[in-house]
């Protein structure tokens, strides 16, 4: 699978090696393999919901939620959700942004799985955890990513917060 991930230098800013998964997802057999392998670690975890971070995480999370018979809950950028939201601000490698969730998005849901395409510094994953903390009595069963960039230490930060992570590959 790794050879199907395209690397784009200096995108979106100079010095960033962007890992483009669209080339991987364009291969139907590999896309199926991605979904199957990202779902497998969580089959016996009884997740009530799969939360995903905009936007590439949505590609996998909907299919994983379907396979786990779980709800899909989007975590979105500012001004993308039409109802009342909770929000958190956080830093990216190349700027600052916010993440939002509907205030009623987790009603009746307790066991949550976080899915995204890539884990780098952990900024977006940690923001997702901070957002979930705005709700009471929620349990994170784990997090899943296609790609981990271990040198940027996001996985270590998730471990410090007690979050199990699963990756399909590392760069």
């Amino acid at each position: 699978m790794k050879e199907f991930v395209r690397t784009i230098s200096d995108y979106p800013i100079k010095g960033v090696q962007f890992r483009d998964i669209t080339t991987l997802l364009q291969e139907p057999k590999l896309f199926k393999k991605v979904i199957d392998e990202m779902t497998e670690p969580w089959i016996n975890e009884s997740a009530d919901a799969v939360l995903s971070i905009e936007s590439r995480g949505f590609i996998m999370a909907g299919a994983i939620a379907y396979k786990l018979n779980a709800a899909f809950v989007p975590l979105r950028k500012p001004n993308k959700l039409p109802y009342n939201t909770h929000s958190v601000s956080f830093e990216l490698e190349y700027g600052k942004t916010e993440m939002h969730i509907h205030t009623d998005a987790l009603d009746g849901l307790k066991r949550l799985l976080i899915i995204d395409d890539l884990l780098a510094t952990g900024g977006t994953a940690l923001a997702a955890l901070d957002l979930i903390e705005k709700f009471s009595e929620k349990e994170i069963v784990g997090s899943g990513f296609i790609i981990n960039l271990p040198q940027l230490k996001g996985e270590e930060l998730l471990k410090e917060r007690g979050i199990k992570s699963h990756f399909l590959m590392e760069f």
Side-chain angles (χ1 to χ4, degrees):
M1 272 194 268
K2 200 171 186 177
E3 63 270 14
F4 284 88
V5 175
R6 176 173 37 206
T7 300
I8 302 170
S9 296
D10 298 323
Y11 181 83
I13 61 169
K14 189 167 180 55
V16 172
Q17 295 292 311
F18 186 84
R19 305 300 178 173
D20 179 14
I21 63 164
T22 61
T23 46
L24 172 65
L25 302 176
Q26 289 169 345
E27 298 291 326
K29 289 180 182 174
L30 290 177
F31 181 48
K32 181 180 183 333
K33 183 178 172 99
V34 164
I35 298 304
D36 290 345
E37 289 186 14
M38 287 186 75
T39 303
E40 194 279 328
W42 315 112
I43 288 173
N44 296 317
E45 293 292 336
S46 302
D48 297 318
V50 176
L51 282 66
S52 187
I53 300 160
E54 187 170 355
S55 67
R56 288 176 306 276
F58 290 1
I59 297 165
M60 286 75 57
I64 292 167
Y66 171 79
K67 288 188 72 141
L68 294 175
N69 194 34
F72 169 74
V73 177
L75 305 178
R76 305 258 355 231
K77 295 173 184 168
N79 303 311
K80 297 291 184 178
L81 292 172
Y83 187 63
N84 300 329
T85 64
H86 292 300
S87 65
V88 294
S89 295
F90 66 102
E91 299 286 331
L92 295 166
E93 298 92 324
Y94 38 83
K96 186 174 181 173
T97 190
E98 292 179 359
M99 184 181 299
H100 292 251
I101 186 172
H102 280 140
T103 55
D104 61 352
L106 301 180
D107 289 356
L109 305 170
K110 181 177 172 149
R111 296 178 53 80
L112 313 174
L113 173 63
I114 298 170
I115 297 292
D116 204 0
D117 64 322
L118 183 136
L119 179 64
T121 64
T124 53
L126 294 172
L129 294 176
D130 292 343
L131 201 52
I132 293 163
E133 287 177 356
K134 294 183 179 283
F135 298 86
S136 60
E137 300 180 24
K138 303 302 175 194
E139 179 183 350
I140 309 299
V141 299
S143 60
F145 307 87
I146 295 176
I147 297 170
N148 181 29
L149 304 177
Q151 73 279 10
L152 296 179
K153 311 221 183 285
E155 180 181 10
E156 292 176 22
L157 294 174
L158 287 175
K159 281 182 186 175
E160 288 174 11
R161 297 273 298 260
I163 305 301
K164 296 185 293 187
S165 296
H166 174 71
F167 314 97
L168 300 187
M169 64 187 86
E170 294 184 335
F171 284 90

